[in-house]
Amino acid sequence: PLRPALPLRCNYCSRAPSPPSINSAETASKIARWSLRLNADNTFLSYHRNAIIATVAGAAMVQYRKGEGRPPLAAACLFAIGG
């Protein structure tokens, strides 16, 4: 009969070392800094994504209004929002 392979695997397993003691105040400070950095990155990327969308929408409005023969006032506002 076949024997399960579990006993063989256990012979080759090693125990992971226990983590060194970590100062909780230092860890909390490090996590807070990374959270602040992540928040700043997300805000930066969101701002630029919205600026690109507003610029593209402004360009589309210019083309649409040009076809109608009317001034592209909304497009000018979108270009201003886009930067």
Side-chain angles (χ1 to χ4, degrees):
L2 294 174
R3 294 178 16 179
L6 185 60
L8 287 175
R9 289 182 186 166
C10 288
N11 289 338
Y12 295 107
C13 293
S14 63
R15 292 182 175 250
S18 61
S21 63
I22 298 172
N23 182 0
S24 61
E26 179 183 339
T27 304
S29 174
K30 188 179 285 189
I31 290 171
R33 285 194 309 264
W34 276 108
S35 296
L36 185 64
R37 171 75 187 265
L38 179 63
N39 186 18
D41 283 347
N42 284 337
T43 302
F44 178 78
L45 292 174
S46 178
Y47 175 80
H48 284 282
R49 180 198 64 222
N50 291 341
I52 290 169
I53 291 170
T55 303
V56 170
M61 290 292 286
V62 166
Q63 294 300 319
Y64 177 73
R65 293 291 188 164
K66 187 176 180 182
E68 292 183 347
R70 297 192 308 186
L73 298 177
C77 293
L78 287 170
F79 280 133
I81 290 170

